[in-house]
Amino acid sequence: QVQLVESGGGSVQAGGSLRLSCVSSGYTPSGYCVGWFRRAPGKEREGVAFIFPGGSSTYYADSVKGRFTISQDNAKNTLYLQMNSLKPDDTAMYYCATQNPSVWFGSRCPPTWARYEHYYWGQGTQVTVSS
């Protein structure tokens, strides 16, 4: 059974940093598209940062480029999101997600057509940034 467990969220002031972690079990994510989504109250879910299968490349949303860094430690089955220069707009629930192996993503990570059911999800960790 696949399990994803996030940690590292919290409350910080604007300009501060946090590092989120996501440990996976029952699944080896290194060969699949993995990443982080976030959802703020009243807003749509947003893909924040992703690592392509095999770690060959990364994708970042424009809103976090230059401030967030995604990485993974395959030996520990752990995905990280280093978040620097945090802004109040970064306040959201952050979710770790990995590609469902039964779904072919092709060359995109994440593909624009992918829906909720095409991923495995963690329970989320709250990030709150105060001004």
Side-chain angles (χ1 to χ4, degrees):
Q1 182 177 354
V2 175
Q3 267 197 316
L4 303 174
V5 180
E6 300 104 330
S7 62
S11 297
V12 295
Q13 290 194 321
S17 298
L18 285 172
R19 188 176 82 154
L20 307 183
S21 299
C22 172
V23 180
S24 62
S25 59
Y27 176 71
T28 302
S30 60
Y32 301 97
C33 176
V34 297
W36 295 89
F37 288 84
R38 67 185 181 186
R39 187 158 193 169
K43 294 187 178 180
E44 295 288 323
R45 184 174 64 237
E46 176 188 17
V48 174
F50 295 83
I51 292 181
F52 279 62
S56 58
S57 188
T58 56
Y59 163 87
Y60 294 95
D62 288 343
S63 56
V64 306
K65 276 181 184 175
R67 300 187 298 120
F68 290 12
T69 303
I70 189 171
S71 61
Q72 65 185 158
D73 184 334
N74 293 331
K76 297 181 179 179
N77 277 354
T78 302
L79 184 70
Y80 301 101
L81 185 66
Q82 178 66 44
M83 305 186 296
N84 299 329
S85 302
L86 283 162
K87 306 174 181 180
D89 283 349
D90 295 318
T91 295
M93 185 72 81
Y94 284 70
Y95 298 90
C96 167
T98 66
Q99 175 187 352
N100 184 328
S102 66
V103 180
W104 174 244
F105 274 18
S107 61
R108 300 291 299 273
C109 174
T112 54
W113 50 261
R115 294 181 175 271
Y116 179 89
E117 60 268 27
H118 297 144
Y119 296 93
Y120 293 133
W121 296 89
Q123 82 287 351
T125 185
Q126 178 67 38
V127 171
T128 302
V129 185
S130 58
S131 57

